[in-house]
Amino acid sequence: MSLKAFKLVPAVEREMLMGDKARINVECIECCGKNLYIGTNDCFVFHFLLEEKISAGKITFAATKQLHKYLGFKKAVSELKAASALNRLLVLCDNTITLVNMMNLEPIPTGARIKGAVTFTLNENPMSGDPFCVEVCIISIKRRTIQMFMVYEDRVQIVKEVSTPEQPCAVAVDGHYLCLALTTQYIILNYNTGISQDLFPYCSDEKRPIVKRIGRQEFLLAGPGGLGMFATVDGISQRAPVHWSENVIGAALCFPYVVALDDEFITVHSMLDQQLKQTLPFKEGHILQDFEGKVIVATNKGVYILVPLPLERQIQDLLTSHRVEEALVLAKAARRNIPKEKFQVMYKRILQQAGFIHFAQLQFLEAKELFRSGQLDVRELISLYPFLLPASSSFIRSHPPLHEYADLNQLTQGDQEKMTKCKRFLMSYLNEVRSTEVANGYKEDIDTALLKLYAEADHESLLDLLVSENFCLLTDSAAWLEKHKKYFALGLLYHYNGQDAAALQLWVKIVNGDVQDSTRSDLYEYIVDFLTFCSDQKLVWKYAEWVLQKSEEVGVQIFTKRPVEDQVSFNPDNVMDCLSKYPKSLVKYLEYLVLDRKVEKEKYHTHLAVLYLEAALQRKSVTTDNCAEFTETQTKLHSLLQKSDFYRIHFILDKIKGTDLHMERAILYGKLEEHDKALHILVHKLKDFSAAEDYCIWSSESKDLPYRRRLFHMLLLVYLNPDSSDCELVMAAVDLLNNHAAEFDAARVLQLVPDSWSVQLLSPFLTGAMRESIHTKRMTQITLGLAKTENLIYKHDKVKLKGSPIILSDKKLCQVCQSPFCEPAFVRYPNGGMVHTHCAAKRLMNPNMTHHSQT
């Protein structure tokens, strides 16, 4: 729905700005009250006074040039910001912010400036509380750095420097919060606490980021996919996004509209319903900013103002014939003369009548607001549309009637386009009110009507409605969906009402071609997924054959991808009986049991191994060894035989007798610990020396070093078999020793190798063996040294515990009785005093305070 919300009015014409200088371009603008400042690419700042004039209902602007000032740089003026409380204009040029007088554009005498700024912005919600300073936030030329300054009339003071995780490209400030466009994402950063909140990703290399403060603690951002995203300082969005074009280069707010600028147009979206309301052609524009409610756009050569048209005027022309506005004004004026309850009833009715007048004129936004304000029973609106109300509805229209129309056909006079718009509005309106208090008491009527509208219009939201909580009446809705051949949606309706059997029956008919519905091209996969999560076992078994016949690989997912808590409901043996006719599915299911669920049952492991084996033999008989399918099957077989310990080894070994599956036979012999047979096959049958070495490695996994060495020595003996004079085996033995020196007992190897082998031939092995031997010796010495040190520490501790020696002679006297000691038994007190044992007992001293010993 298109509205005329803004009018584009010229403010500064090209001639006023540049005269005959064609190369002068507008780089930035600032507007403060009537003062308009323009920065140019040749380092000039222009000051104009804007006067608004109204003539014959038209608004025009007259710009009077006050003066212009050359800043003395060779670069463009990048940015301008006015601080009217300080009478200062902040000018960014050549990475330096200069403070100039707003009236004469002269730099302040103190020369105070901020250096190293890429871009800057003012904090419109400052935290200092000082009316004679402004808070300035800059993106510094220092990498990944934001700086906060306090700017006074004649000085500047840095108050904070904050590091960012990536290089910032654009910034807006609100209080302590920074909204930053970084290289790859938008974030909210509290520069006071350092806490940051990621918003959403964004690639600044591909598109120009937009960060705009639109209100207290709220920002507008250019998001991915051409979305204008709203975000609060808490990192949440309290408004739905607006859909811009992919190449938006500027945005501004003039409530209730969001204005955006791209290469060719100015677009106006409503913040209330996010719809595009107006598109104004505007080529070569590169600046769009709002200043205290005034929206200004600029090209390189001129400046224009977007003048909003009053909302009252937008609807007044449409209401004149019905005098609705007059009725509303009179009702408000009569408010004091009418009792409160009576006035509310009357005013609501007038609002509802006004809503229907707007609705008849396709002014849906205004109609919706009036319907809401008037608390309209939404069934009044639904009843205009034939057959939308359920047959069981008890609704009767208001009397006297709120409008003069019998139904939508009369209202639109048969115009199909108008009828479509009305239905689209009702879809939008019902979708909005269905979850509000407006719907209380008649949710069934609303949802059933909404379903009918969606089905008739082939609207994508039909499926969303049916898979979410809804109150659609089954009988009415089912008949309508069947009438419009929405069989998949009908199945969803059945499912929502607990009739899964009916839903599946209908979906299967669609897949089989019995009925036509192209809603989902992947309906078969959807059915498989539905059955996978279906808790009704009977229903799963009923359609198991059908899904398997359609695709063995996909159909088996009804058993292999079930939720963990539901897996126990299906006995694997029963499932395997069902899959016995479907070999591919059977393999997939056994893989699921053995490899995914790790079921440790011999019959499953053996069965899977047999199926792999049969598939490998079959594919080998009809294809070459290079066939991808054969290679994949053989790889799976090898992996299972190597890693599983639960299959019947002898049974599988019997199965491959008489075949040329030598590698498999070698693996099986390895499982039986018959390593000599396995190595004989790998070396003499397959002549795959690399596989023989790998065999020694995987066969000794989780085993000790002697076991692994025994395997490698066995392999070496196979290579050095005196009955074989094959030079290839000799070279394999040399390579084995040289590549795996650590796996051998060097002394034993030297006894085995022929005397004819040169030292040079085995130099890598000998070097490795010597290094290993020396390493082992040194580690043993270190261990021994550590053990000796530990023993010495213990001895030292023992000596300390024994303490000093006690000397007892016949000259020492008992401290109690003062008699000499006649025998070597005594009691020693902690203070060193010694007494007879019987004296100590008589004194009844505390046992914890004495120490009894004998010399």
Side-chain angles (χ1 to χ4, degrees), residues 1 7 37 80 104 228 270 341 425 537 552 566 630 639 777:
M1 182 174 67
K7 182 179 180 182
Y37 300 93
L80 298 170
N104 59 23
S270 170
E341 293 76 10
F425 163 72
Q537 288 191 49
E552 290 189 42
D566 199 24
F630 171 74
S639 177
K777 178 183 177 182

mmCIF file of all heavy atoms in Angstrom, residues 1 7 37 80 104 228 270 341 425 537 552 566 630 639 777:
data_model
loop_
_atom_site.group_PDB
_atom_site.id
_atom_site.type_symbol
_atom_site.label_atom_id
_atom_site.label_comp_id
_atom_site.label_asym_id
_atom_site.label_seq_id
_atom_site.Cartn_x
_atom_site.Cartn_y
_atom_site.Cartn_z
ATOM 1 N N MET A 1 0.859 -1.192 0.000
ATOM 2 C CA MET A 1 0.000 0.000 0.000
ATOM 3 C C MET A 1 0.893 1.239 0.000
ATOM 4 O O MET A 1 1.733 1.398 0.866
ATOM 5 C CB MET A 1 -0.898 -0.015 1.225
ATOM 6 C CG MET A 1 -1.853 1.149 1.293
ATOM 7 S SD MET A 1 -3.004 0.994 2.667
ATOM 8 C CE MET A 1 -1.904 1.160 4.041
ATOM 9 N N LYS A 7 7.773 14.623 0.894
ATOM 10 C CA LYS A 7 7.957 15.378 -0.349
ATOM 11 C C LYS A 7 9.398 15.881 -0.382
ATOM 12 O O LYS A 7 9.922 16.381 0.611
ATOM 13 C CB LYS A 7 6.983 16.549 -0.409
ATOM 14 C CG LYS A 7 7.080 17.354 -1.702
ATOM 15 C CD LYS A 7 6.073 18.495 -1.705
ATOM 16 C CE LYS A 7 6.173 19.300 -2.988
ATOM 17 N NZ LYS A 7 5.225 20.442 -2.983
ATOM 18 N N TYR A 37 25.477 23.457 7.569
ATOM 19 C CA TYR A 37 26.899 23.469 7.254
ATOM 20 C C TYR A 37 27.178 22.371 6.224
ATOM 21 O O TYR A 37 26.652 21.255 6.327
ATOM 22 C CB TYR A 37 27.731 23.219 8.513
ATOM 23 C CG TYR A 37 27.519 24.255 9.590
ATOM 24 C CD1 TYR A 37 26.561 24.047 10.582
ATOM 25 C CD2 TYR A 37 28.267 25.424 9.613
ATOM 26 C CE1 TYR A 37 26.350 24.982 11.569
ATOM 27 C CE2 TYR A 37 28.071 26.369 10.610
ATOM 28 C CZ TYR A 37 27.106 26.147 11.588
ATOM 29 O OH TYR A 37 26.900 27.082 12.571
ATOM 30 N N LEU A 80 31.140 16.640 9.864
ATOM 31 C CA LEU A 80 30.819 17.858 10.600
ATOM 32 C C LEU A 80 29.821 17.517 11.699
ATOM 33 O O LEU A 80 28.850 16.791 11.459
ATOM 34 C CB LEU A 80 30.201 18.911 9.676
ATOM 35 C CG LEU A 80 31.064 19.437 8.519
ATOM 36 C CD1 LEU A 80 30.219 20.277 7.583
ATOM 37 C CD2 LEU A 80 32.229 20.274 9.066
ATOM 38 N N ASN A 104 31.514 32.185 12.823
ATOM 39 C CA ASN A 104 32.515 32.730 11.891
ATOM 40 C C ASN A 104 33.459 31.665 11.330
ATOM 41 O O ASN A 104 34.360 31.985 10.553
ATOM 42 C CB ASN A 104 33.317 33.850 12.567
ATOM 43 C CG ASN A 104 34.038 33.363 13.825
ATOM 44 O OD1 ASN A 104 34.308 32.171 13.986
ATOM 45 N ND2 ASN A 104 34.357 34.306 14.721
ATOM 46 N N GLY A 228 16.979 -3.875 7.362
ATOM 47 C CA GLY A 228 17.250 -2.824 8.327
ATOM 48 C C GLY A 228 16.885 -3.361 9.698
ATOM 49 O O GLY A 228 15.718 -3.556 10.006
ATOM 50 N N SER A 270 7.444 1.839 6.968
ATOM 51 C CA SER A 270 6.794 2.103 8.243
ATOM 52 C C SER A 270 7.421 1.247 9.332
ATOM 53 O O SER A 270 7.667 0.059 9.141
ATOM 54 C CB SER A 270 5.298 1.800 8.157
ATOM 55 O OG SER A 270 4.707 1.825 9.435
ATOM 56 N N GLU A 341 -19.222 6.017 30.940
ATOM 57 C CA GLU A 341 -19.516 4.718 30.327
ATOM 58 C C GLU A 341 -20.200 4.896 28.978
ATOM 59 O O GLU A 341 -19.857 4.210 27.990
ATOM 60 C CB GLU A 341 -20.410 3.884 31.252
ATOM 61 C CG GLU A 341 -19.758 3.449 32.563
ATOM 62 C CD GLU A 341 -19.675 4.578 33.581
ATOM 63 O OE1 GLU A 341 -20.280 5.646 33.345
ATOM 64 O OE2 GLU A 341 -18.985 4.390 34.612
ATOM 65 N N PHE A 425 -5.140 -8.010 3.369
ATOM 66 C CA PHE A 425 -5.184 -7.260 4.628
ATOM 67 C C PHE A 425 -5.775 -8.114 5.745
ATOM 68 O O PHE A 425 -5.253 -8.139 6.869
ATOM 69 C CB PHE A 425 -6.014 -5.990 4.468
ATOM 70 C CG PHE A 425 -6.441 -5.405 5.788
ATOM 71 C CD1 PHE A 425 -5.525 -4.777 6.618
ATOM 72 C CD2 PHE A 425 -7.755 -5.507 6.218
ATOM 73 C CE1 PHE A 425 -5.904 -4.257 7.844
ATOM 74 C CE2 PHE A 425 -8.139 -4.996 7.453
ATOM 75 C CZ PHE A 425 -7.219 -4.366 8.261
ATOM 76 N N GLN A 537 3.828 -47.379 16.995
ATOM 77 C CA GLN A 537 4.550 -48.475 16.345
ATOM 78 C C GLN A 537 3.725 -49.107 15.220
ATOM 79 O O GLN A 537 4.276 -49.461 14.165
ATOM 80 C CB GLN A 537 4.905 -49.556 17.377
ATOM 81 C CG GLN A 537 6.007 -49.140 18.336
ATOM 82 C CD GLN A 537 6.499 -50.314 19.148
ATOM 83 O OE1 GLN A 537 6.806 -51.375 18.598
ATOM 84 N NE2 GLN A 537 6.567 -50.128 20.450
ATOM 85 N N GLU A 552 15.401 -47.998 -0.534
ATOM 86 C CA GLU A 552 15.949 -48.765 0.580
ATOM 87 C C GLU A 552 16.859 -47.897 1.451
ATOM 88 O O GLU A 552 16.823 -47.969 2.684
ATOM 89 C CB GLU A 552 16.737 -49.969 0.052
ATOM 90 C CG GLU A 552 15.867 -51.046 -0.576
ATOM 91 C CD GLU A 552 16.667 -52.307 -0.885
ATOM 92 O OE1 GLU A 552 17.491 -52.696 -0.039
ATOM 93 O OE2 GLU A 552 16.470 -52.879 -1.965
ATOM 94 N N ASP A 566 13.305 -43.891 21.992
ATOM 95 C CA ASP A 566 12.313 -44.698 21.276
ATOM 96 C C ASP A 566 12.922 -45.944 20.635
ATOM 97 O O ASP A 566 12.208 -46.761 20.063
ATOM 98 C CB ASP A 566 11.643 -43.818 20.202
ATOM 99 C CG ASP A 566 10.314 -44.397 19.738
ATOM 100 O OD1 ASP A 566 9.708 -45.162 20.500
ATOM 101 O OD2 ASP A 566 9.899 -44.094 18.611
ATOM 102 N N PHE A 630 33.155 -51.595 -5.297
ATOM 103 C CA PHE A 630 33.881 -52.739 -4.739
ATOM 104 C C PHE A 630 34.900 -52.265 -3.700
ATOM 105 O O PHE A 630 35.026 -52.847 -2.621
ATOM 106 C CB PHE A 630 34.574 -53.508 -5.865
ATOM 107 C CG PHE A 630 35.516 -54.580 -5.352
ATOM 108 C CD1 PHE A 630 35.016 -55.758 -4.821
ATOM 109 C CD2 PHE A 630 36.892 -54.382 -5.368
ATOM 110 C CE1 PHE A 630 35.867 -56.730 -4.338
ATOM 111 C CE2 PHE A 630 37.747 -55.350 -4.890
ATOM 112 C CZ PHE A 630 37.232 -56.534 -4.377
ATOM 113 N N SER A 639 37.660 -52.955 7.689
ATOM 114 C CA SER A 639 37.519 -52.219 8.939
ATOM 115 C C SER A 639 36.769 -53.045 9.980
ATOM 116 O O SER A 639 37.164 -53.105 11.152
ATOM 117 C CB SER A 639 36.791 -50.898 8.692
ATOM 118 O OG SER A 639 36.589 -50.201 9.891
ATOM 119 N N LYS A 777 69.591 -46.486 27.506
ATOM 120 C CA LYS A 777 70.623 -46.497 28.547
ATOM 121 C C LYS A 777 70.571 -45.218 29.378
ATOM 122 O O LYS A 777 70.625 -45.248 30.622
ATOM 123 C CB LYS A 777 71.998 -46.654 27.898
ATOM 124 C CG LYS A 777 73.155 -46.620 28.906
ATOM 125 C CD LYS A 777 74.499 -46.713 28.193
ATOM 126 C CE LYS A 777 75.668 -46.599 29.212
ATOM 127 N NZ LYS A 777 76.972 -46.628 28.532
#
